[in-house]
Every structure is written in structure tokens, then in C-alpha cells.
Amino acid sequence: ADPVLQEDMLKFQETFKGINERFRLIGRIGEGTFSTVYKAEDLLYEQYDNEWDLEEKENSQWTSPPLKKRRTGLQQALANMDEYAQQRRRPKYVAIKKIYVTSSPLRILNEIELLSKLQGCDSVCPLITAFRHTDQVVAVLPYFKHTDFRDYFRKMTVPDMQIYFRSLFTALNATHEEGILHRDIKPTNFLYDPAKKRGVLVDFGLAEKEGTDYKPCLCEGGSQRHDERRRRLQNSVAVGMGPSNGYPKNDSRPSRRANRAGTRGFRAPEVLFKCTAQTTKIDIWSAGVMLLTILSRRFPFFNSADDVEAMIEIATIFGIKKMKQCAYLHGAMFESNIPTISEKGFSIEKIILWSTCRNDGGKDGGEIPLTDEEKLAVRFLERCFELDPNKRISAAEALEHDFLRDTMY
Ligand code: ADP
Ligand code: MG
């Protein structure tokens, strides 16, 4: 076995004295910016149980050791969770998420609180328990068997996509119904088992309650005050300045601050434009990026190094005109003199034909057009890729869309 990993697991067990009595660490399954995740066997699991299986959830029962002190918010959240846990069965295999001490205590509390709010939702991976030793916090989740996205996305047929996205949008719908934005929707945070055709949403480390970080934004509607601000913006000197004039050098205005959490390439335009009133629609955009990835068979599809590059990538597809409208919606401006960005951009259909090499590559066959089912997927994708978050489809609406409505699962 890997000696570095062995040492890492030993150190972990030393920090949490007594953890060996309940869990046997098996190996490391994930390592991210904010945590390390280990697979472990719960030694107190109920015998008949195998891995976490939702079909059997109803008559399930598992318990966790009672929590002694219930003073802090974190402890209260844990206590609530514990109560819930009493009604469920304990799975044999668990994922133990060790949250790095560099994460702020508020962030950790946030993740645990939001997860405890989502208990009972089948498509969100529930928390079994969590514990703390000094500044170390660990969350215990049922282990969910899944396949690496890279191993299956290229092989997915349109019906596979429909089942996959029905599962993802069910999870999003449950999350959004609680008024929670996940903020980091991407393949590694949606654990999918192609054999069972089921997935669960994980990683609420960046999630937040809608409206927590709220400041009014222009995109919210056509009130008079907003119209007035728009007019002012339109008449401003800066609008007359092309990109060749650069940006104002002695700009004394405070720079805009808004939550920009999330993963490069999956960020919605309103996140890039630092919209101050971000909604659950940012998750829908990210889910759209996942669908585009699968349809185009390219991962990562967007590969920007920073937010400006990300805007350029989006603008290349949607064109300058729409990008300007989008910027304007959030009280920002978009200018570019990059020759590859056209006025009108390209249709999603074209992008998919190009990236799957089905446009006429000079060969006799010419273009291999999209099938009807692929076209349906594209129609759905276009609804996820509305640049205006107000027009973008919601998770509830998505489940009623032709693309997802009649899927078998
Ligand atoms: P991070 O904040 O570090 O991204 P995540 O919660 O996303 O942490 O977990 C990181 C990785 O660990 C996931 O991408 C997944 O591969 C694995 N993982 C997390 N939770 C589970 C689980 N319940 N079952 C199986 N694997 C998991
Ligand atoms: Mg993650």
C-alpha cells in the first residue's frame, strides 16, 4: 500500500482518538481544495445492510452515539441530524469527509446546517453524523458507489442523458425548494451510478441560503429606479469609449463585490458579472455546462484560467450582442475587440457538430445532422443557457420539460 496514504490515515486516526472503535478506514476516495474524503467501514452497521440503498430506506434504522453537549449552533445542527439518524438504518460503508482546518468555522457550520436541512431528500447525500476535535471537523456520509464521470460521459446516449439529468434536476429541485443555492454544480459533486441509474448531490461546502448575500441588482426587474439607473448607465461617458480606449485608469469607484464561489468553467454569466443578487438559477447554468460537456464529448468544455477568459469563452458562443445585453442587465458593460467573438455567435447545434467532428470536414459525407432526440436535448440546453437568469428554466420547470418529463426513472 501507498506509505504516504498510510501515514495520512494514521495521522487522521490519531487526531480522532477512538474513531477506530467505530470506523475502519479503507482508503482515500477524494481530495479537494477543502477536504479529504476517506472510505470507511462502519463497524456498528446493521448486519443485513450493504451499501446505502434507498429502496430499503423506509424500514431502515440506524443510530449514532448521542451527543453530549448541545451548546453551539454546530452542536444543535448535529443534534437535529442525530435525531433524524435515529429513524434510519446505518450503512456499512461510509464516506468520511475531513474538512481542512483552513476552512472557516462558519463555512463548516454552514455546510453541516444546510445538509441537515436537506435530510430526507433521496437525491442529496445525507449526513450520518459529524464530529469535531479541537479545530478538526469530520462529516460522515453514507458511501455512495459511483463511476468517475470521465469513464462514462463519452458513451452516454440521449436516453442515458435524460435519466442522468432527471436525477440531477430532482436533486436541484429539492435543494432549490429549500431556498438553497448549491453554487458548485459540476460532475465531481454529483455522484452517479450508471448501473443503478441514480445519482446524489454532494458537497454543500459553498452552498448558501438564497438571499444571504443579498444586495439589489439591476437584473431584478423593471422598477422605475432600475430604469433610471439603466438610462444613466447608457448615457455615461464610458459607453462611448471603445475597447481601444481601454478602461478608466483613475476609477475611484469601489469595485463590485459579489459572491464568486464555484468552479471555473461552470460559473453562470451573472456570477462572472458579479451580480449581487444571485439566485438558484446559477446552478441551472452549471447543469447546462454539464449537458453541453456530454453532448459535445469534451471535458472540460470551458477551460478558462480566470473570469475574464470565462466571459470570452461564453461570448464566443453567444456573440457580443447578447453578452452586452447580459452585462447591461447587471449594470455592467461588456466590450471586446477579440476577432473570434462575432456579433451573433453560434448555435449550440453548430458547436456540438463541430466538437463531435460531424460538420462537413471536407469529406464526401458532408454534415451529419443532429438526431431528433439530440435536438430535443439542445432545446432543453438552450433553456438552461438563457443568459438572463429570470428567463432561465427553473429546476421544477425542467422536470416538466419534454426532455426530462417522460424518462423512465
Ligand atoms: P470537496 O469539498 O473537497 O470537493 P466533496 O464533498 O465534493 O469535497 O468530496 C470530494 C470527493 O469525495 C467527491 O468528488 C467524491 O469523489 C468523493 N465523495 C464525497 N462524498 C462521497 C460519498 N458520500 N460517497 C462516495 N464518495 C464520496
Ligand atoms: Mg467537491
Coordinates of all heavy atoms in Angstrom, one line a residue, residues 176-227:
H176 N -33.3 23.6 -4.3 CA -33.9 25.0 -4.5 C -35.2 25.2 -3.8 O -35.5 26.4 -3.4 CB -34.0 25.2 -6.0 CG -32.7 25.2 -6.8 ND1 -32.6 25.2 -8.1 CD2 -31.4 25.2 -6.3 CE1 -31.3 25.2 -8.5 NE2 -30.6 25.2 -7.4
E177 N -36.0 24.2 -3.6 CA -37.2 24.3 -2.9 C -36.9 24.8 -1.4 O -37.8 25.5 -0.8 CB -38.0 23.0 -2.8 CG -39.0 22.9 -4.0 CD -39.8 21.6 -3.9 OE1 -39.4 20.7 -3.1 OE2 -40.7 21.5 -4.7
E178 N -35.8 24.4 -0.9 CA -35.4 24.8 0.4 C -34.8 26.2 0.4 O -34.3 26.7 1.4 CB -34.4 23.8 1.0 CG -35.0 22.5 1.4 CD -36.0 22.6 2.6 OE1 -35.9 23.4 3.5 OE2 -37.0 21.8 2.5
G179 N -34.7 26.8 -0.8 CA -34.1 28.1 -1.0 C -32.6 28.1 -0.8 O -32.0 29.0 -0.5
I180 N -32.0 26.9 -1.2 CA -30.6 26.8 -1.1 C -30.0 26.7 -2.5 O -30.4 26.1 -3.4 CB -30.2 25.5 -0.3 CG1 -30.7 25.6 1.2 CG2 -28.7 25.2 -0.3 CD1 -30.7 24.3 1.9
L181 N -28.9 27.5 -2.6 CA -28.1 27.5 -3.9 C -26.9 26.6 -3.6 O -26.3 26.8 -2.6 CB -27.5 28.9 -4.1 CG -28.2 30.1 -4.6 CD1 -29.1 30.7 -3.6 CD2 -27.2 31.2 -5.1
H182 N -26.7 25.7 -4.5 CA -25.5 24.8 -4.2 C -24.2 25.5 -4.6 O -23.3 25.4 -3.8 CB -25.7 23.5 -5.1 CG -24.6 22.5 -4.9 ND1 -23.4 22.6 -5.5 CD2 -24.6 21.4 -4.2 CE1 -22.7 21.6 -5.1 NE2 -23.4 20.8 -4.3
R183 N -24.2 26.2 -5.6 CA -23.1 27.0 -6.1 C -21.9 26.3 -6.7 O -20.9 26.9 -7.1 CB -22.5 27.9 -4.9 CG -23.3 29.0 -4.5 CD -22.5 30.0 -3.7 NE -23.2 31.3 -3.8 CZ -23.0 32.1 -4.8 NH1 -22.2 31.8 -5.8 NH2 -23.7 33.2 -4.9
D184 N -21.9 25.0 -6.6 CA -20.7 24.3 -7.2 C -21.1 23.0 -7.9 O -20.6 22.0 -7.7 CB -19.7 24.0 -6.0 CG -18.3 23.7 -6.6 OD1 -18.0 24.0 -7.7 OD2 -17.5 23.2 -5.8
I185 N -22.2 23.2 -8.8 CA -22.7 22.1 -9.5 C -21.6 21.7 -10.6 O -21.3 22.6 -11.4 CB -24.0 22.4 -10.2 CG1 -25.1 22.6 -9.0 CG2 -24.5 21.3 -11.1 CD1 -25.4 21.4 -8.2
K186 N -21.2 20.5 -10.6 CA -20.2 20.0 -11.6 C -20.1 18.5 -11.4 O -20.6 18.0 -10.4 CB -18.8 20.6 -11.4 CG -18.2 20.4 -10.0 CD -16.8 21.0 -9.9 CE -16.3 20.9 -8.5 NZ -14.9 21.4 -8.4
P187 N -19.6 17.8 -12.4 CA -19.6 16.3 -12.3 C -19.1 15.7 -11.0 O -19.7 14.8 -10.5 CB -18.8 15.9 -13.5 CG -18.9 17.0 -14.5 CD -19.0 18.3 -13.7
T188 N -18.0 16.3 -10.5 CA -17.4 15.6 -9.3 C -18.3 15.8 -8.0 O -18.1 15.1 -7.0 CB -16.0 16.1 -8.9 OG1 -16.0 17.5 -8.9 CG2 -15.0 15.6 -9.9
N189 N -19.3 16.7 -8.1 CA -20.2 16.9 -7.0 C -21.5 16.2 -7.2 O -22.4 16.4 -6.4 CB -20.3 18.4 -6.7 CG -19.1 19.0 -6.1 OD1 -18.3 18.2 -5.5 ND2 -18.9 20.3 -6.2
F190 N -21.7 15.5 -8.3 CA -22.9 14.7 -8.5 C -22.4 13.3 -8.7 O -21.9 12.9 -9.8 CB -23.7 15.3 -9.7 CG -24.9 14.5 -10.0 CD1 -25.9 14.4 -9.0 CD2 -25.1 13.8 -11.2 CE1 -27.1 13.7 -9.3 CE2 -26.3 13.1 -11.5 CZ -27.3 13.1 -10.5
L191 N -22.6 12.5 -7.7 CA -22.1 11.1 -7.8 C -23.1 10.2 -8.4 O -24.2 10.1 -7.9 CB -21.8 10.6 -6.3 CG -20.9 11.5 -5.5 CD1 -20.7 10.9 -4.1 CD2 -19.6 11.9 -6.1
Y192 N -22.7 9.7 -9.6 CA -23.7 8.9 -10.4 C -23.3 7.5 -10.6 O -22.1 7.2 -10.8 CB -23.8 9.6 -11.7 CG -25.0 9.1 -12.5 CD1 -26.3 9.4 -12.2 CD2 -24.8 8.4 -13.7 CE1 -27.4 8.9 -12.9 CE2 -25.8 7.9 -14.5 CZ -27.1 8.1 -14.1 OH -28.2 7.7 -14.8
D193 N -24.2 6.6 -10.4 CA -24.0 5.2 -10.6 C -24.8 4.8 -11.9 O -26.0 4.6 -11.8 CB -24.5 4.4 -9.4 CG -24.3 2.9 -9.5 OD1 -23.7 2.5 -10.6 OD2 -24.7 2.2 -8.6
P194 N -24.1 4.6 -13.0 CA -24.8 4.3 -14.3 C -25.5 3.0 -14.2 O -26.5 2.8 -14.9 CB -23.6 4.2 -15.3 CG -22.5 4.9 -14.7 CD -22.6 4.8 -13.2
A195 N -25.0 2.0 -13.4 CA -25.7 0.8 -13.3 C -27.1 0.9 -12.6 O -28.1 0.4 -13.1 CB -24.8 -0.2 -12.5
K196 N -27.1 1.7 -11.6 CA -28.4 1.9 -10.9 C -29.2 3.1 -11.5 O -30.3 3.3 -11.1 CB -28.1 2.2 -9.4 CG -27.7 1.0 -8.6 CD -28.1 1.1 -7.2 CE -27.9 -0.2 -6.4 NZ -27.0 0.0 -5.2
K197 N -28.5 3.8 -12.4 CA -29.1 5.0 -13.0 C -29.6 6.0 -11.9 O -30.7 6.5 -12.0 CB -30.3 4.6 -13.9 CG -29.9 3.7 -15.1 CD -31.1 3.4 -15.9 CE -30.8 2.3 -17.0 NZ -29.8 2.7 -18.0
R198 N -28.8 6.1 -10.9 CA -29.1 7.1 -9.8 C -27.9 7.9 -9.4 O -26.8 7.4 -9.5 CB -29.6 6.3 -8.6 CG -31.1 5.9 -8.6 CD -31.5 5.7 -7.2 NE -31.2 6.9 -6.3 CZ -30.4 6.8 -5.2 NH1 -29.9 5.6 -4.8 NH2 -30.2 7.8 -4.5
G199 N -28.2 9.1 -9.0 CA -27.1 9.9 -8.6 C -27.5 10.7 -7.3 O -28.7 10.8 -7.0
V200 N -26.5 11.1 -6.6 CA -26.7 12.0 -5.4 C -25.8 13.2 -5.5 O -24.7 13.2 -6.0 CB -26.5 11.3 -4.1 CG1 -27.6 10.3 -3.8 CG2 -25.1 10.7 -4.0
L201 N -26.4 14.3 -5.0 CA -25.6 15.6 -4.9 C -24.8 15.6 -3.7 O -25.4 15.2 -2.6 CB -26.7 16.7 -5.0 CG -26.3 18.1 -5.4 CD1 -25.6 18.0 -6.8 CD2 -27.5 18.9 -5.5
V202 N -23.6 15.9 -3.8 CA -22.7 16.1 -2.6 C -22.1 17.5 -2.6 O -22.2 18.2 -3.5 CB -21.6 15.0 -2.5 CG1 -22.2 13.6 -2.3 CG2 -20.7 15.1 -3.7
D203 N -21.4 17.7 -1.5 CA -20.5 18.9 -1.4 C -21.3 20.2 -1.3 O -21.4 21.0 -2.2 CB -19.5 19.0 -2.6 CG -18.4 19.9 -2.3 OD1 -18.4 20.6 -1.2 OD2 -17.5 20.0 -3.1
F204 N -21.8 20.5 -0.1 CA -22.5 21.7 0.1 C -21.6 22.8 0.8 O -22.0 23.7 1.5 CB -23.8 21.5 0.9 CG -24.9 20.9 0.1 CD1 -24.8 19.6 -0.4 CD2 -26.0 21.7 -0.3 CE1 -25.8 19.1 -1.2 CE2 -27.0 21.1 -1.1 CZ -26.9 19.8 -1.6
G205 N -20.3 22.6 0.5 CA -19.3 23.5 1.1 C -19.4 24.9 0.7 O -19.0 25.8 1.4
L206 N -20.0 25.2 -0.5 CA -20.1 26.5 -1.0 C -21.5 27.0 -1.0 O -21.9 28.1 -1.5 CB -19.5 26.6 -2.4 CG -18.0 26.4 -2.5 CD1 -17.6 26.4 -4.0 CD2 -17.2 27.4 -1.7
A207 N -22.4 26.1 -0.6 CA -23.9 26.4 -0.7 C -24.3 27.5 0.2 O -23.6 27.8 1.2 CB -24.7 25.1 -0.4
E208 N -25.3 28.1 -0.1 CA -25.9 29.2 0.8 C -27.4 29.3 0.6 O -27.9 28.9 -0.4 CB -25.2 30.5 0.5 CG -25.6 31.1 -0.8 CD -24.9 32.5 -1.1 OE1 -23.7 32.7 -0.7 OE2 -25.6 33.4 -1.6
K209 N -28.0 29.9 1.6 CA -29.4 30.2 1.6 C -29.6 31.4 0.6 O -28.8 32.3 0.7 CB -29.7 30.6 3.0 CG -31.0 30.2 3.7 CD -31.6 28.9 3.6 CE -33.0 29.1 4.0 NZ -33.9 28.1 3.6
E210 N -30.6 31.3 -0.2 CA -30.8 32.3 -1.2 C -31.1 33.6 -0.4 O -31.9 33.6 0.5 CB -32.1 32.0 -2.0 CG -32.1 32.7 -3.4 CD -33.2 32.1 -4.3 OE1 -34.2 31.5 -3.7 OE2 -33.1 32.2 -5.5
G211 N -30.5 34.7 -0.9 CA -30.7 36.0 -0.2 C -29.8 36.3 0.9 O -29.8 37.4 1.5
T212 N -28.9 35.4 1.3 CA -28.0 35.6 2.4 C -27.0 36.8 2.1 O -26.8 37.6 3.0 CB -27.1 34.3 2.7 OG1 -28.0 33.2 2.7 CG2 -26.4 34.4 4.0
D213 N -26.6 36.7 0.9 CA -25.5 37.7 0.5 C -26.1 38.8 -0.4 O -25.6 39.3 -1.3 CB -24.5 36.9 -0.3 CG -23.1 37.6 -0.3 OD1 -22.9 38.4 0.7 OD2 -22.3 37.4 -1.2
Y214 N -27.4 39.1 0.0 CA -28.2 39.9 -0.9 C -28.0 41.4 -1.0 O -28.0 42.0 0.1 CB -29.6 39.6 -0.6 CG -30.6 40.1 -1.6 CD1 -30.9 39.3 -2.7 CD2 -31.2 41.4 -1.4 CE1 -31.8 39.8 -3.6 CE2 -32.1 41.8 -2.3 CZ -32.4 41.1 -3.4 OH -33.3 41.5 -4.4
K215 N -27.7 41.9 -2.2 CA -27.8 43.4 -2.4 C -28.6 43.5 -3.7 O -28.5 42.7 -4.5 CB -26.4 43.9 -2.6 CG -25.6 43.9 -1.3 CD -24.1 44.2 -1.6 CE -23.2 43.4 -0.8 NZ -22.9 42.1 -1.4
P216 N -29.4 44.5 -3.8 CA -30.2 44.6 -5.0 C -29.4 44.7 -6.3 O -28.3 45.2 -6.2 CB -31.0 45.9 -4.8 CG -30.9 46.3 -3.4 CD -29.7 45.6 -2.9
C217 N -29.8 44.1 -7.3 CA -29.1 44.1 -8.6 C -30.1 44.6 -9.7 O -31.3 44.4 -9.6 CB -28.5 42.8 -9.0 SG -27.7 42.8 -10.6
L218 N -29.5 45.2 -10.7 CA -30.4 45.7 -11.8 C -31.2 44.6 -12.5 O -32.3 44.9 -13.0 CB -29.5 46.4 -12.9 CG -28.9 47.7 -12.5 CD1 -28.0 48.2 -13.6 CD2 -30.0 48.7 -12.3
C219 N -30.7 43.4 -12.4 CA -31.4 42.3 -13.2 C -32.7 42.0 -12.6 O -33.5 41.2 -13.2 CB -30.5 41.1 -13.2 SG -30.4 40.2 -11.7
E220 N -33.1 42.5 -11.5 CA -34.2 42.0 -10.8 C -35.6 42.5 -11.3 O -36.6 42.1 -10.8 CB -34.2 42.4 -9.3 CG -33.1 41.5 -8.6 CD -32.9 42.0 -7.2 OE1 -32.2 43.0 -7.1 OE2 -33.4 41.4 -6.3
G221 N -35.6 43.4 -12.3 CA -36.9 43.8 -12.8 C -36.9 45.2 -13.2 O -36.0 46.0 -13.0
G222 N -38.0 45.6 -13.8 CA -38.0 46.9 -14.4 C -38.6 48.0 -13.5 O -39.4 48.8 -14.0
S223 N -38.3 48.1 -12.3 CA -38.8 49.2 -11.5 C -38.2 50.5 -12.0 O -37.2 50.5 -12.7 CB -38.4 49.0 -10.0 OG -37.1 49.4 -9.8
Q224 N -38.9 51.5 -11.6 CA -38.5 52.8 -12.1 C -37.1 53.2 -11.8 O -36.3 53.7 -12.6 CB -39.4 53.9 -11.6 CG -40.7 54.1 -12.4 CD -41.5 55.2 -12.0 OE1 -41.2 55.9 -10.9 NE2 -42.5 55.6 -12.8
R225 N -36.7 52.8 -10.5 CA -35.4 53.2 -10.1 C -34.4 52.5 -11.0 O -33.4 53.0 -11.4 CB -35.3 52.7 -8.6 CG -34.0 53.1 -8.0 CD -34.1 52.8 -6.5 NE -34.4 51.4 -6.3 CZ -33.4 50.5 -6.1 NH1 -32.1 50.8 -6.2 NH2 -33.7 49.2 -6.0
H226 N -34.7 51.2 -11.3 CA -33.7 50.5 -12.2 C -33.7 51.1 -13.6 O -32.6 51.2 -14.1 CB -34.1 49.0 -12.2 CG -34.0 48.3 -10.9 ND1 -34.6 47.2 -10.6 CD2 -33.2 48.7 -9.8 CE1 -34.2 46.8 -9.4 NE2 -33.4 47.7 -8.9
D227 N -34.9 51.5 -14.1 CA -34.9 52.1 -15.4 C -34.0 53.3 -15.4 O -33.3 53.6 -16.3 CB -36.3 52.5 -15.8 CG -37.1 51.2 -16.2 OD1 -36.5 50.1 -16.3 OD2 -38.3 51.3 -16.3

